Every structure is written in C-alpha cells, then in structure tokens.
Amino acid sequence: MDLSLSTRNVSGPGGDRTVVEVGGEIDVYTAPKLREQLVELVNDGSYHLVVDMEGVDFLDSTGLGVLVGGLKRVRAHEGSLRLVCNQERILKIFRITGLTKVFPIHNTVDEAVAATD
C-alpha cells in the first residue's frame, strides 16, 4: 500500500489552517514522504496544521515519530498540529503511547479547524 497526500488551506474561527489529507499506510517506507510534506509546509510558513488521518489504514512507530517531529517543528513557530482520527484501531495506538496527551485529536476536519489554540 502506498501513501497519498493532499493539502488545502481552510479558514476557521481559530484562523487559517492547512489541512493535510493522508491516505493509506504511514510506515517505515512511506513516513519520509509525510515528513517531507510537513517540513515543506512549515518552511513555506504554514504553522497551523490539521493532519486528516481518516483515510489511514495503518500507522507504525516511524509514522508516530514523523507526527511528533511535525509537532515540534510547528511549535518552534508558535504553531499547532491537530489530528483528525476517528478509527478505533489508530486511536488505540495514540492511547497506548500516551500521545493523546500530546496531540489534540478531533473527530472531523471541521471540528479541528474550528478549534482555537
């Protein structure tokens, strides 16, 4: 399985957000593609990101590392990184690793965009 990525800009009550839609598997083989996308967005001045993981089928520790790295990158610019995930098998990974305390996780993109920092 491959990884698909697309981005779009959205405005909400919390300000402008860049939504990164992710589909497929985020694993040791595909995670570098997501890392490049997040680095490029931050380098281009997008500091408030919403990563839409509704289309993600699989997430491993390498993928988690990329998300944590992205969070550190945006926080260095007073930014935010919110996740959209409502799949129990993926949410379980965030719970087990304690990352539910690190990432704001929302059920929908609209909910994440509407959230204020």
Side-chain angles (χ1 to χ4, degrees), residues 65-94:
V66 167
L67 292 171
V68 170
L71 180 63
K72 287 180 181 177
R73 213 172 285 282
V74 295
R75 281 191 176 164
H77 298 278
E78 306 296 318
S80 63
L81 192 152
R82 298 176 176 283
L83 302 178
V84 175
C85 182
N86 53 23
Q87 298 178 63
E88 189 52 42
R89 68 182 180 281
I90 303 291
L91 287 169
K92 187 176 181 180
I93 296 166
F94 286 99

PDB file of all heavy atoms in Angstrom, residues 65-94:
ATOM      1  N   GLY A  65       6.635   8.958  14.955  1.00  0.00           N
ATOM      2  CA  GLY A  65       7.809   9.830  15.060  1.00  0.00           C
ATOM      3  C   GLY A  65       7.729  11.020  14.122  1.00  0.00           C
ATOM      4  O   GLY A  65       8.108  12.137  14.494  1.00  0.00           O
ATOM      5  N   VAL A  66       7.221  10.797  12.927  1.00  0.00           N
ATOM      6  CA  VAL A  66       7.068  11.888  11.958  1.00  0.00           C
ATOM      7  C   VAL A  66       6.053  12.906  12.472  1.00  0.00           C
ATOM      8  O   VAL A  66       6.275  14.113  12.377  1.00  0.00           O
ATOM      9  CB  VAL A  66       6.647  11.333  10.575  1.00  0.00           C
ATOM     10  CG1 VAL A  66       6.171  12.451   9.660  1.00  0.00           C
ATOM     11  CG2 VAL A  66       7.805  10.588   9.942  1.00  0.00           C
ATOM     12  N   LEU A  67       4.955  12.435  13.043  1.00  0.00           N
ATOM     13  CA  LEU A  67       3.939  13.345  13.578  1.00  0.00           C
ATOM     14  C   LEU A  67       4.486  14.151  14.757  1.00  0.00           C
ATOM     15  O   LEU A  67       4.265  15.355  14.852  1.00  0.00           O
ATOM     16  CB  LEU A  67       2.689  12.567  13.983  1.00  0.00           C
ATOM     17  CG  LEU A  67       1.897  11.944  12.828  1.00  0.00           C
ATOM     18  CD1 LEU A  67       0.807  11.020  13.351  1.00  0.00           C
ATOM     19  CD2 LEU A  67       1.318  13.011  11.924  1.00  0.00           C
ATOM     20  N   VAL A  68       5.232  13.490  15.638  1.00  0.00           N
ATOM     21  CA  VAL A  68       5.845  14.196  16.771  1.00  0.00           C
ATOM     22  C   VAL A  68       6.853  15.220  16.263  1.00  0.00           C
ATOM     23  O   VAL A  68       6.912  16.357  16.746  1.00  0.00           O
ATOM     24  CB  VAL A  68       6.501  13.203  17.762  1.00  0.00           C
ATOM     25  CG1 VAL A  68       7.350  13.930  18.794  1.00  0.00           C
ATOM     26  CG2 VAL A  68       5.439  12.353  18.445  1.00  0.00           C
ATOM     27  N   GLY A  69       7.644  14.847  15.261  1.00  0.00           N
ATOM     28  CA  GLY A  69       8.605  15.780  14.662  1.00  0.00           C
ATOM     29  C   GLY A  69       7.907  16.981  14.049  1.00  0.00           C
ATOM     30  O   GLY A  69       8.367  18.120  14.181  1.00  0.00           O
ATOM     31  N   GLY A  70       6.774  16.734  13.388  1.00  0.00           N
ATOM     32  CA  GLY A  70       5.991  17.822  12.809  1.00  0.00           C
ATOM     33  C   GLY A  70       5.459  18.757  13.878  1.00  0.00           C
ATOM     34  O   GLY A  70       5.480  19.980  13.727  1.00  0.00           O
ATOM     35  N   LEU A  71       5.019  18.180  14.995  1.00  0.00           N
ATOM     36  CA  LEU A  71       4.518  18.978  16.111  1.00  0.00           C
ATOM     37  C   LEU A  71       5.623  19.876  16.669  1.00  0.00           C
ATOM     38  O   LEU A  71       5.415  21.064  16.896  1.00  0.00           O
ATOM     39  CB  LEU A  71       3.967  18.056  17.204  1.00  0.00           C
ATOM     40  CG  LEU A  71       3.403  18.739  18.448  1.00  0.00           C
ATOM     41  CD1 LEU A  71       2.203  19.602  18.093  1.00  0.00           C
ATOM     42  CD2 LEU A  71       3.030  17.703  19.493  1.00  0.00           C
ATOM     43  N   LYS A  72       6.802  19.314  16.852  1.00  0.00           N
ATOM     44  CA  LYS A  72       7.937  20.106  17.356  1.00  0.00           C
ATOM     45  C   LYS A  72       8.272  21.242  16.394  1.00  0.00           C
ATOM     46  O   LYS A  72       8.566  22.359  16.803  1.00  0.00           O
ATOM     47  CB  LYS A  72       9.170  19.213  17.553  1.00  0.00           C
ATOM     48  CG  LYS A  72       9.063  18.290  18.737  1.00  0.00           C
ATOM     49  CD  LYS A  72      10.302  17.437  18.867  1.00  0.00           C
ATOM     50  CE  LYS A  72      10.190  16.476  20.040  1.00  0.00           C
ATOM     51  NZ  LYS A  72      11.352  15.595  20.120  1.00  0.00           N
ATOM     52  N   ARG A  73       8.210  20.949  15.113  1.00  0.00           N
ATOM     53  CA  ARG A  73       8.536  21.935  14.086  1.00  0.00           C
ATOM     54  C   ARG A  73       7.564  23.120  14.110  1.00  0.00           C
ATOM     55  O   ARG A  73       7.986  24.274  14.052  1.00  0.00           O
ATOM     56  CB  ARG A  73       8.509  21.251  12.720  1.00  0.00           C
ATOM     57  CG  ARG A  73       9.485  21.769  11.726  1.00  0.00           C
ATOM     58  CD  ARG A  73       9.498  20.888  10.482  1.00  0.00           C
ATOM     59  NE  ARG A  73      10.180  19.630  10.664  1.00  0.00           N
ATOM     60  CZ  ARG A  73      11.492  19.484  10.666  1.00  0.00           C
ATOM     61  NH1 ARG A  73      12.272  20.514  10.510  1.00  0.00           N
ATOM     62  NH2 ARG A  73      12.048  18.304  10.817  1.00  0.00           N
ATOM     63  N   VAL A  74       6.251  22.844  14.205  1.00  0.00           N
ATOM     64  CA  VAL A  74       5.286  23.944  14.212  1.00  0.00           C
ATOM     65  C   VAL A  74       5.323  24.700  15.545  1.00  0.00           C
ATOM     66  O   VAL A  74       5.137  25.912  15.575  1.00  0.00           O
ATOM     67  CB  VAL A  74       3.835  23.502  13.882  1.00  0.00           C
ATOM     68  CG1 VAL A  74       3.747  22.981  12.467  1.00  0.00           C
ATOM     69  CG2 VAL A  74       3.291  22.503  14.879  1.00  0.00           C
ATOM     70  N   ARG A  75       5.572  23.990  16.623  1.00  0.00           N
ATOM     71  CA  ARG A  75       5.639  24.659  17.935  1.00  0.00           C
ATOM     72  C   ARG A  75       6.817  25.629  18.006  1.00  0.00           C
ATOM     73  O   ARG A  75       6.751  26.619  18.739  1.00  0.00           O
ATOM     74  CB  ARG A  75       5.737  23.634  19.060  1.00  0.00           C
ATOM     75  CG  ARG A  75       4.384  23.020  19.391  1.00  0.00           C
ATOM     76  CD  ARG A  75       4.448  22.213  20.659  1.00  0.00           C
ATOM     77  NE  ARG A  75       3.136  21.708  21.024  1.00  0.00           N
ATOM     78  CZ  ARG A  75       2.954  20.734  21.896  1.00  0.00           C
ATOM     79  NH1 ARG A  75       3.991  20.164  22.492  1.00  0.00           N
ATOM     80  NH2 ARG A  75       1.741  20.329  22.195  1.00  0.00           N
ATOM     81  N   ALA A  76       7.871  25.353  17.258  1.00  0.00           N
ATOM     82  CA  ALA A  76       9.021  26.267  17.212  1.00  0.00           C
ATOM     83  C   ALA A  76       8.620  27.614  16.614  1.00  0.00           C
ATOM     84  O   ALA A  76       9.318  28.607  16.782  1.00  0.00           O
ATOM     85  CB  ALA A  76      10.162  25.647  16.402  1.00  0.00           C
ATOM     86  N   HIS A  77       7.486  27.639  15.927  1.00  0.00           N
ATOM     87  CA  HIS A  77       6.968  28.869  15.307  1.00  0.00           C
ATOM     88  C   HIS A  77       5.646  29.290  15.960  1.00  0.00           C
ATOM     89  O   HIS A  77       4.836  29.961  15.323  1.00  0.00           O
ATOM     90  CB  HIS A  77       6.750  28.649  13.805  1.00  0.00           C
ATOM     91  CG  HIS A  77       8.006  28.325  13.065  1.00  0.00           C
ATOM     92  ND1 HIS A  77       8.893  29.292  12.641  1.00  0.00           N
ATOM     93  CD2 HIS A  77       8.539  27.133  12.694  1.00  0.00           C
ATOM     94  CE1 HIS A  77       9.913  28.703  12.030  1.00  0.00           C
ATOM     95  NE2 HIS A  77       9.721  27.405  12.053  1.00  0.00           N
ATOM     96  N   GLU A  78       5.431  28.863  17.213  1.00  0.00           N
ATOM     97  CA  GLU A  78       4.181  29.173  17.936  1.00  0.00           C
ATOM     98  C   GLU A  78       2.962  28.618  17.199  1.00  0.00           C
ATOM     99  O   GLU A  78       1.877  29.196  17.264  1.00  0.00           O
ATOM    100  CB  GLU A  78       4.021  30.699  18.141  1.00  0.00           C
ATOM    101  CG  GLU A  78       5.191  31.365  18.811  1.00  0.00           C
ATOM    102  CD  GLU A  78       5.415  30.885  20.236  1.00  0.00           C
ATOM    103  OE1 GLU A  78       4.439  30.716  20.971  1.00  0.00           O
ATOM    104  OE2 GLU A  78       6.585  30.653  20.600  1.00  0.00           O
ATOM    105  N   GLY A  79       3.143  27.508  16.500  1.00  0.00           N
ATOM    106  CA  GLY A  79       2.054  26.919  15.721  1.00  0.00           C
ATOM    107  C   GLY A  79       1.376  25.763  16.430  1.00  0.00           C
ATOM    108  O   GLY A  79       1.590  25.524  17.623  1.00  0.00           O
ATOM    109  N   SER A  80       0.558  25.040  15.668  1.00  0.00           N
ATOM    110  CA  SER A  80      -0.182  23.906  16.223  1.00  0.00           C
ATOM    111  C   SER A  80      -0.292  22.803  15.179  1.00  0.00           C
ATOM    112  O   SER A  80      -0.226  23.063  13.976  1.00  0.00           O
ATOM    113  CB  SER A  80      -1.586  24.353  16.655  1.00  0.00           C
ATOM    114  OG  SER A  80      -2.319  24.794  15.527  1.00  0.00           O
ATOM    115  N   LEU A  81      -0.442  21.583  15.673  1.00  0.00           N
ATOM    116  CA  LEU A  81      -0.684  20.444  14.800  1.00  0.00           C
ATOM    117  C   LEU A  81      -1.804  19.638  15.432  1.00  0.00           C
ATOM    118  O   LEU A  81      -1.656  19.130  16.545  1.00  0.00           O
ATOM    119  CB  LEU A  81       0.577  19.590  14.640  1.00  0.00           C
ATOM    120  CG  LEU A  81       0.516  18.545  13.518  1.00  0.00           C
ATOM    121  CD1 LEU A  81       1.909  18.267  12.981  1.00  0.00           C
ATOM    122  CD2 LEU A  81      -0.122  17.259  13.963  1.00  0.00           C
ATOM    123  N   ARG A  82      -2.930  19.592  14.755  1.00  0.00           N
ATOM    124  CA  ARG A  82      -4.096  18.856  15.238  1.00  0.00           C
ATOM    125  C   ARG A  82      -4.313  17.642  14.348  1.00  0.00           C
ATOM    126  O   ARG A  82      -4.049  17.696  13.149  1.00  0.00           O
ATOM    127  CB  ARG A  82      -5.335  19.753  15.192  1.00  0.00           C
ATOM    128  CG  ARG A  82      -5.202  20.964  16.076  1.00  0.00           C
ATOM    129  CD  ARG A  82      -6.399  21.905  15.958  1.00  0.00           C
ATOM    130  NE  ARG A  82      -6.234  22.992  16.906  1.00  0.00           N
ATOM    131  CZ  ARG A  82      -6.460  22.887  18.206  1.00  0.00           C
ATOM    132  NH1 ARG A  82      -6.879  21.751  18.706  1.00  0.00           N
ATOM    133  NH2 ARG A  82      -6.262  23.910  19.010  1.00  0.00           N
ATOM    134  N   LEU A  83      -4.794  16.575  14.942  1.00  0.00           N
ATOM    135  CA  LEU A  83      -5.062  15.353  14.195  1.00  0.00           C
ATOM    136  C   LEU A  83      -6.557  15.134  14.083  1.00  0.00           C
ATOM    137  O   LEU A  83      -7.317  15.457  14.996  1.00  0.00           O
ATOM    138  CB  LEU A  83      -4.429  14.150  14.897  1.00  0.00           C
ATOM    139  CG  LEU A  83      -2.929  14.203  15.129  1.00  0.00           C
ATOM    140  CD1 LEU A  83      -2.477  12.951  15.878  1.00  0.00           C
ATOM    141  CD2 LEU A  83      -2.165  14.346  13.820  1.00  0.00           C
ATOM    142  N   VAL A  84      -6.963  14.580  12.944  1.00  0.00           N
ATOM    143  CA  VAL A  84      -8.344  14.153  12.765  1.00  0.00           C
ATOM    144  C   VAL A  84      -8.299  12.640  12.602  1.00  0.00           C
ATOM    145  O   VAL A  84      -7.679  12.120  11.670  1.00  0.00           O
ATOM    146  CB  VAL A  84      -8.997  14.794  11.519  1.00  0.00           C
ATOM    147  CG1 VAL A  84     -10.392  14.224  11.296  1.00  0.00           C
ATOM    148  CG2 VAL A  84      -9.036  16.303  11.670  1.00  0.00           C
ATOM    149  N   CYS A  85      -8.902  11.950  13.568  1.00  0.00           N
ATOM    150  CA  CYS A  85      -8.889  10.489  13.533  1.00  0.00           C
ATOM    151  C   CYS A  85     -10.077   9.980  14.316  1.00  0.00           C
ATOM    152  O   CYS A  85     -10.298  10.385  15.456  1.00  0.00           O
ATOM    153  CB  CYS A  85      -7.582   9.963  14.137  1.00  0.00           C
ATOM    154  SG  CYS A  85      -7.465   8.170  14.077  1.00  0.00           S
ATOM    155  N   ASN A  86     -10.855   9.107  13.700  1.00  0.00           N
ATOM    156  CA  ASN A  86     -11.975   8.517  14.410  1.00  0.00           C
ATOM    157  C   ASN A  86     -11.996   6.998  14.262  1.00  0.00           C
ATOM    158  O   ASN A  86     -12.987   6.356  14.557  1.00  0.00           O
ATOM    159  CB  ASN A  86     -13.304   9.139  13.954  1.00  0.00           C
ATOM    160  CG  ASN A  86     -13.470   9.097  12.458  1.00  0.00           C
ATOM    161  OD1 ASN A  86     -12.850   8.277  11.786  1.00  0.00           O
ATOM    162  ND2 ASN A  86     -14.292   9.976  11.922  1.00  0.00           N
ATOM    163  N   GLN A  87     -10.871   6.441  13.816  1.00  0.00           N
ATOM    164  CA  GLN A  87     -10.777   4.990  13.675  1.00  0.00           C
ATOM    165  C   GLN A  87     -10.187   4.406  14.956  1.00  0.00           C
ATOM    166  O   GLN A  87      -9.085   4.765  15.354  1.00  0.00           O
ATOM    167  CB  GLN A  87      -9.859   4.628  12.507  1.00  0.00           C
ATOM    168  CG  GLN A  87     -10.343   5.132  11.172  1.00  0.00           C
ATOM    169  CD  GLN A  87      -9.347   4.766  10.113  1.00  0.00           C
ATOM    170  OE1 GLN A  87      -9.118   3.589   9.872  1.00  0.00           O
ATOM    171  NE2 GLN A  87      -8.730   5.764   9.510  1.00  0.00           N
ATOM    172  N   GLU A  88     -10.917   3.515  15.552  1.00  0.00           N
ATOM    173  CA  GLU A  88     -10.518   2.967  16.852  1.00  0.00           C
ATOM    174  C   GLU A  88      -9.124   2.323  16.816  1.00  0.00           C
ATOM    175  O   GLU A  88      -8.334   2.506  17.732  1.00  0.00           O
ATOM    176  CB  GLU A  88     -11.570   1.961  17.339  1.00  0.00           C
ATOM    177  CG  GLU A  88     -11.371   1.506  18.767  1.00  0.00           C
ATOM    178  CD  GLU A  88     -11.234   2.641  19.779  1.00  0.00           C
ATOM    179  OE1 GLU A  88     -11.982   3.634  19.699  1.00  0.00           O
ATOM    180  OE2 GLU A  88     -10.359   2.543  20.654  1.00  0.00           O
ATOM    181  N   ARG A  89      -8.808   1.589  15.744  1.00  0.00           N
ATOM    182  CA  ARG A  89      -7.507   0.901  15.707  1.00  0.00           C
ATOM    183  C   ARG A  89      -6.330   1.887  15.658  1.00  0.00           C
ATOM    184  O   ARG A  89      -5.263   1.593  16.180  1.00  0.00           O
ATOM    185  CB  ARG A  89      -7.442  -0.101  14.565  1.00  0.00           C
ATOM    186  CG  ARG A  89      -7.448   0.501  13.180  1.00  0.00           C
ATOM    187  CD  ARG A  89      -7.422  -0.587  12.108  1.00  0.00           C
ATOM    188  NE  ARG A  89      -7.417  -0.031  10.781  1.00  0.00           N
ATOM    189  CZ  ARG A  89      -8.464   0.432  10.151  1.00  0.00           C
ATOM    190  NH1 ARG A  89      -9.644   0.420  10.734  1.00  0.00           N
ATOM    191  NH2 ARG A  89      -8.362   0.927   8.938  1.00  0.00           N
ATOM    192  N   ILE A  90      -6.533   3.057  15.054  1.00  0.00           N
ATOM    193  CA  ILE A  90      -5.477   4.069  15.013  1.00  0.00           C
ATOM    194  C   ILE A  90      -5.458   4.848  16.329  1.00  0.00           C
ATOM    195  O   ILE A  90      -4.401   5.109  16.904  1.00  0.00           O
ATOM    196  CB  ILE A  90      -5.683   5.038  13.815  1.00  0.00           C
ATOM    197  CG1 ILE A  90      -5.748   4.274  12.486  1.00  0.00           C
ATOM    198  CG2 ILE A  90      -4.593   6.099  13.793  1.00  0.00           C
ATOM    199  CD1 ILE A  90      -4.475   3.633  12.024  1.00  0.00           C
ATOM    200  N   LEU A  91      -6.633   5.186  16.853  1.00  0.00           N
ATOM    201  CA  LEU A  91      -6.709   5.898  18.128  1.00  0.00           C
ATOM    202  C   LEU A  91      -6.061   5.092  19.250  1.00  0.00           C
ATOM    203  O   LEU A  91      -5.440   5.656  20.149  1.00  0.00           O
ATOM    204  CB  LEU A  91      -8.172   6.196  18.481  1.00  0.00           C
ATOM    205  CG  LEU A  91      -8.844   7.297  17.663  1.00  0.00           C
ATOM    206  CD1 LEU A  91     -10.346   7.296  17.914  1.00  0.00           C
ATOM    207  CD2 LEU A  91      -8.240   8.643  17.991  1.00  0.00           C
ATOM    208  N   LYS A  92      -6.208   3.781  19.185  1.00  0.00           N
ATOM    209  CA  LYS A  92      -5.628   2.901  20.207  1.00  0.00           C
ATOM    210  C   LYS A  92      -4.109   3.078  20.285  1.00  0.00           C
ATOM    211  O   LYS A  92      -3.529   3.074  21.369  1.00  0.00           O
ATOM    212  CB  LYS A  92      -5.989   1.443  19.878  1.00  0.00           C
ATOM    213  CG  LYS A  92      -5.595   0.454  20.937  1.00  0.00           C
ATOM    214  CD  LYS A  92      -6.088  -0.935  20.568  1.00  0.00           C
ATOM    215  CE  LYS A  92      -5.714  -1.937  21.634  1.00  0.00           C
ATOM    216  NZ  LYS A  92      -6.172  -3.282  21.291  1.00  0.00           N
ATOM    217  N   ILE A  93      -3.468   3.273  19.134  1.00  0.00           N
ATOM    218  CA  ILE A  93      -2.013   3.478  19.090  1.00  0.00           C
ATOM    219  C   ILE A  93      -1.652   4.757  19.834  1.00  0.00           C
ATOM    220  O   ILE A  93      -0.694   4.782  20.606  1.00  0.00           O
ATOM    221  CB  ILE A  93      -1.518   3.531  17.624  1.00  0.00           C
ATOM    222  CG1 ILE A  93      -1.758   2.176  16.949  1.00  0.00           C
ATOM    223  CG2 ILE A  93      -0.049   3.940  17.558  1.00  0.00           C
ATOM    224  CD1 ILE A  93      -1.628   2.196  15.450  1.00  0.00           C
ATOM    225  N   PHE A  94      -2.441   5.812  19.645  1.00  0.00           N
ATOM    226  CA  PHE A  94      -2.178   7.074  20.342  1.00  0.00           C
ATOM    227  C   PHE A  94      -2.403   6.926  21.846  1.00  0.00           C
ATOM    228  O   PHE A  94      -1.661   7.478  22.643  1.00  0.00           O
ATOM    229  CB  PHE A  94      -3.045   8.206  19.770  1.00  0.00           C
ATOM    230  CG  PHE A  94      -2.578   8.676  18.427  1.00  0.00           C
ATOM    231  CD1 PHE A  94      -3.185   8.229  17.267  1.00  0.00           C
ATOM    232  CD2 PHE A  94      -1.505   9.553  18.318  1.00  0.00           C
ATOM    233  CE1 PHE A  94      -2.741   8.651  16.024  1.00  0.00           C
ATOM    234  CE2 PHE A  94      -1.057   9.978  17.083  1.00  0.00           C
ATOM    235  CZ  PHE A  94      -1.670   9.531  15.936  1.00  0.00           C
TER     236      PHE A  94
END
